[in-house]
Amino acid sequence: MKNFGKYLTALFLAVTLVSVVGCASTRNQESTGEYLDDTAITAKVKAAIFNEPTLKSAEINVETFKGVVQLSGFVNSTHDINRAVEVTRRVTGVKSVRNDMRHK
């Protein structure tokens, strides 16, 4: 019975160490905070685009992943594409902008 207790304790310690080492192996800590930041950035970009008078009729979709904003959808002209990218870059928290917008 004593041997069984020693093996059980050793197994528990081994599992604990493996889980701690596994968590430490990730390069950056990723948490729900990043997801919430991306959600906030997406909302700010959508509001900024909606409040821009020249882009009211545009159909622009906004997605954000780790501060990188991807714009997709349809707009009327190249000027509208450039304007949407410019408005997006002014939003705080945006690291870069990927442009997948097309003309109607």
Side-chain angles (χ1 to χ4, degrees):
M1 193 68 175
K2 285 184 179 183
N3 287 339
F4 179 72
K6 288 180 183 178
Y7 289 125
L8 189 60
T9 303
L11 178 65
F12 175 74
L13 288 175
V15 169
T16 303
L17 286 174
V18 167
S19 67
V20 169
V21 171
C23 291
S25 67
T26 56
R27 190 168 49 116
N28 293 331
Q29 181 179 358
E30 297 180 17
S31 65
T32 56
E34 288 180 355
Y35 174 76
L36 294 175
D37 291 344
D38 287 343
T39 304
I41 291 170
T42 300
K44 288 178 187 176
V45 170
K46 284 182 180 181
I49 289 173
F50 182 74
N51 291 331
E52 181 63 34
T54 59
L55 300 174
K56 289 255 187 213
S57 64
E59 299 170 16
I60 300 174
N61 301 316
V62 180
E63 295 179 13
T64 307
F65 182 70
K66 293 188 178 182
V68 178
V69 178
Q70 179 177 354
L71 300 175
S72 62
F74 297 98
V75 293
N76 296 324
S77 66
T78 305
H79 173 65
D80 289 346
I81 292 174
N82 294 335
R83 187 69 184 142
V85 170
E86 180 183 327
V87 166
T88 302
R89 285 193 177 126
R90 280 194 261 139
V91 174
T92 56
V94 174
K95 293 179 182 173
S96 67
V97 179
R98 290 181 52 206
N99 180 10
D100 282 340
M101 290 182 283
R102 306 275 183 244
H103 293 122
K104 282 186 183 177

